[in-house]
């Protein structure tokens, strides 16, 4: 029986790259808020199945995971990045960021723990360099990624039959990154960033690590060009 992997935020960018990387060896469930957003990647990966749900709607998530009795890999890739200084950032932005980047991850993981335990599964958290250090203007996002790292650390201790890997990439050449650079007043140059494919290969490397090894953290930085 082929292992099953669920990837959130899989409609484009890094999530789609991870889906392509895992497709040869896994049955895929691909997550996005709306199924329409998944049409391109589902057309490309014909055997994959959609997992359309708003991850911040906890009742909808609980309904969506019913019937998943065994899950080998859970890749948490979905998230948001609203930038701003502490002085500029409202409580609503802080709440929305923590809800999307931490609470939704914790709840989906909690609901899928029986399926993950049944498979001796692997949880992969797509974190960030901002989960290791915070820079000016990145407070809410960095706080959420520090919290995500803590979630992974706690889960690793609490669930010894599972593997939990935090991936901390530097900036990745995606549409989200283009929006961030524009918000910073810069000019987007994809050559200055990691490719989604490079990070996706790191995810697969973690998953493919032999069972006697536990890859707890992977840190990637783009090479200056």
């Amino acid at each position: 029986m082929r292992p099953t992997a669920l990837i959130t935020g899989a409609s484009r960018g890094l999530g789609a790259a991870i889906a392509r990387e895992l497709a040869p060896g896994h049955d895929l469930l691909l997550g996005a808020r709306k199924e329409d957003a998944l049409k391109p990647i589902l057309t490309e990966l014909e055997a994959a199945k959609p997992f359309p749900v708003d991850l911040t709607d906890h009742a909808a998530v609980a309904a969506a995971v019913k019937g998943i009795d065994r899950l080998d890999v859970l890749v948490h890739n979905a998230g948001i990045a609203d930038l701003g200084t502490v002085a500029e950032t409202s409580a609503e932005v802080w709440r929305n960021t923590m809800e999307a980047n931490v609470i939704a991850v914790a709840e989906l993981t909690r609901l899928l723990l029986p399926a993950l335990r049944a498979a001796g599964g692997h949880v992969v958290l797509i974190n960030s360099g901002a989960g290791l250090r915070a820079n000016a203007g990145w407070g809410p996002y960095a706080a959420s990624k520090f919290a995500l790292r803590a979630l992974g650390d706690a889960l690793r201790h609490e669930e010894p039959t599972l593997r939990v890997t935090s991936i901390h990439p530097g900036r990745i050449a995606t549409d989200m990154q283009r929006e961030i650079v524009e918000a910073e007043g810069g000019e987007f140059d994809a050559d200055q960033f990691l490719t989604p494919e490079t990070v996706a290969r790191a995810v697969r490397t973690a998953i493919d690590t032999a069972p006697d090894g536990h890859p707890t953290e992977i840190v990637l930085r783009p090479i200056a060009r």
Side-chain angles (χ1 to χ4, degrees), residues 52-68:
V53 65
D54 180 347
L55 296 174
T56 63
D57 183 339
H58 303 309
V61 172
V65 302
K66 286 183 178 178
I68 302 178

Side-chain angles (χ1 to χ4, degrees), residues 54-138:
D54 180 347
L55 296 174
T56 63
D57 183 339
H58 303 309
V61 172
V65 302
K66 286 183 178 178
I68 302 178
D69 299 320
R70 182 181 178 89
L71 185 64
D72 299 272
V73 178
L74 173 58
V75 180
H76 288 288
N77 173 67
I80 63 173
D82 284 329
L83 305 186
T85 66
V86 173
E88 298 167 335
T89 304
S90 67
E92 182 180 9
V93 170
W94 282 94
R95 287 193 199 96
N96 290 343
T97 301
M98 297 301 290
E99 180 71 41
N101 292 355
V102 185
I103 298 171
V105 173
E107 181 64 359
L108 180 59
T109 303
R110 183 185 73 82
L111 291 168
L112 287 172
L113 275 177
L116 288 161
R117 290 168 182 154
H122 196 151
V123 179
V124 179
L125 304 167
I126 303 301
N127 201 296
S128 167
L132 300 172
R133 68 186 184 282
N135 293 322
W138 288 71

